[in-house]
Amino acid sequence: MKIVKKGLPEHVAVIMDGNGRWARQRGLPRTVGHRQGMKRVKELIETAVKAGIKVLTLFAFSTENWSRPKREIVLLMNSLGAYLDRNIGELKKNDIRFRVIGRTEQLPSFLRVKIKSAQEHTKANAGMALVLAFNYGARQEIVDAARGCARSVQAGTLVPEDIDEEEFRTHLYAADLPDVDLLIRTSGELRISNFLLWQLSYAELYFPKKYWPDFCNEDLFRAIKEFQRRKRRFGGIDVDEKNN
Ligand code: FPP
């Protein structure tokens, strides 16, 4: 399938759901599902770069995921560590800037070190931003942004009357990134699950039935094509209706 560059979503966000069910269907442990999911992550990143996507945000670990069995948590943390160890060269080669959004201060120190180093080593890259939501929750992000505004008011650099959408946005975790254009959630679940609540305001939503470990390049292209067919009105009306 070929992708038309015109009308490409600038920012694609993905809730990679269904690793556990994919494994259960095969009588395998959930951790095998995550390992398979990780392979898709690598593939998706390469394909997104080639397609010309500017920002790719992946939901890899939510603030609610701490309630999972310890070995699953350890596997997800180690997967990110191993990914960074093995792929910094690849990220640099592909001009990808790596970022993490979330409450990273609560992550184990070995991972904080690797994240910091990866962010540092790729900060000059301008091809695609790869944003990993890790220990991320959208309500927490909004609360943290509210705290940021409050701190500025306390410091005397901001007055409450000047807190508008533009000001508030500057306190989000990755304030410089554009809003999400296309959200993909695999596995057939029709929920947002505390992901990027602010940035998804006008996103087009796409819910393929496949579990994440089965989501292939063709599925991404299908999602992009569907996005290109949609008419986005941002609360207004169609341009061709304006003359009626
Ligand atoms: C949701 O499936 C998936 C996750 C909570 C983790 C996503 C992680 C990966 C794809 C691999 C790790 C990636 C990085 C970059 C560290 P689920 O476990 O909720 O599946 P289920 O709903 O079928 O149980």
Side-chain angles (χ1 to χ4, degrees):
M1 202 184 288
K2 269 197 83 89
I3 280 296
V4 179
K5 296 279 171 182
K6 188 166 178 280
L8 210 59
E10 192 180 357
H11 186 170
V12 177
V14 188
I15 302 179
M16 309 178 288
D17 199 10
N19 292 350
R21 278 164 286 166
W22 181 91
R24 200 170 57 224
Q25 231 178 26
R26 289 160 177 77
L28 298 166
R30 295 175 55 79
T31 45
V32 178
H34 291 313
R35 285 209 183 89
Q36 196 62 27
M38 192 69 212
K39 289 188 188 155
R40 291 294 175 226
V41 169
K42 288 187 63 181
E43 209 175 278
L44 178 75
I45 294 168
E46 280 173 32
T47 311
V49 170
K50 285 191 194 131
I53 302 298
K54 283 284 161 213
V55 185
L56 178 67
T57 302
L58 304 176
F59 204 1
F61 193 88
S62 79
T63 44
E64 290 74 37
N65 287 155
W66 293 104
S67 64
R68 293 190 173 210
K70 180 136 189 273
R71 68 174 181 286
E72 191 171 332
I73 295 173
V74 169
L75 178 101
L76 290 169
M77 301 279 156
N78 288 345
S79 299
L80 175 56
Y83 173 79
L84 294 178
D85 283 345
R86 291 190 200 126
N87 291 281
I88 284 295
E90 200 61 18
L91 293 174
K92 278 191 183 166
K93 197 178 90 194
N94 288 319
D95 200 19
I96 297 174
R97 180 171 178 196
F98 176 78
R99 336 247 299 241
V100 171
I101 53 170
R103 289 188 171 166
T104 46
E105 68 280 6
Q106 294 165 349
L107 295 175
S109 64
F110 87 92
L111 203 50
R112 287 204 311 268
V113 171
K114 288 183 200 293
I115 289 171
K116 196 166 169 231
S117 156
Q119 294 189 145
E120 199 55 38
H121 277 93
T122 61
K123 72 174 180 208
N125 294 353
M128 181 179 88
L130 168 63
V131 185
L132 213 60
F134 209 88
N135 196 27
Y136 175 86
R139 286 186 174 179
Q140 288 85 341
E141 177 175 31
I142 291 169
V143 167
D144 287 346
R147 285 181 185 160
C149 288
R151 268 193 293 272
S152 299
V153 170
Q154 198 173 38
T157 55
L158 181 67
V159 291
E161 292 68 29
D162 284 344
I163 301 175
D164 53 11
E165 286 181 25
E166 210 180 317
E167 171 62 32
F168 194 84
R169 160 185 293 282
T170 66
H171 296 273
L172 296 173
Y173 294 147
D176 54 312
L177 297 179
D179 276 353
V180 176
D181 297 303
L182 170 63
L183 170 78
I184 302 170
R185 180 182 190 145
T186 56
S187 92
E189 303 291 355
L190 308 178
R191 286 189 294 274
I192 301 298
S193 300
N194 203 18
F195 188 42
L196 301 174
L197 293 178
W198 179 280
Q199 300 86 339
L200 285 176
S201 294
Y202 288 100
E204 294 295 326
L205 311 180
Y206 184 75
F207 298 109
K209 290 225 163 61
K210 279 190 183 177
Y211 294 144
W212 174 251
D214 287 330
F215 191 83
C216 60
N217 290 338
E218 289 294 302
D219 295 309
L220 176 67
F221 295 155
R222 255 190 283 279
I224 292 174
K225 275 193 180 254
E226 166 68 23
F227 173 84
Q228 288 169 323
R229 273 195 292 271
R230 302 246 182 119
K231 285 195 170 176
R232 303 181 82 194
R233 290 187 287 273
F234 298 96
I237 60 169
D238 284 346
V239 180
D240 50 359
E241 270 190 297
K242 280 202 174 142
N243 299 327
N244 293 336

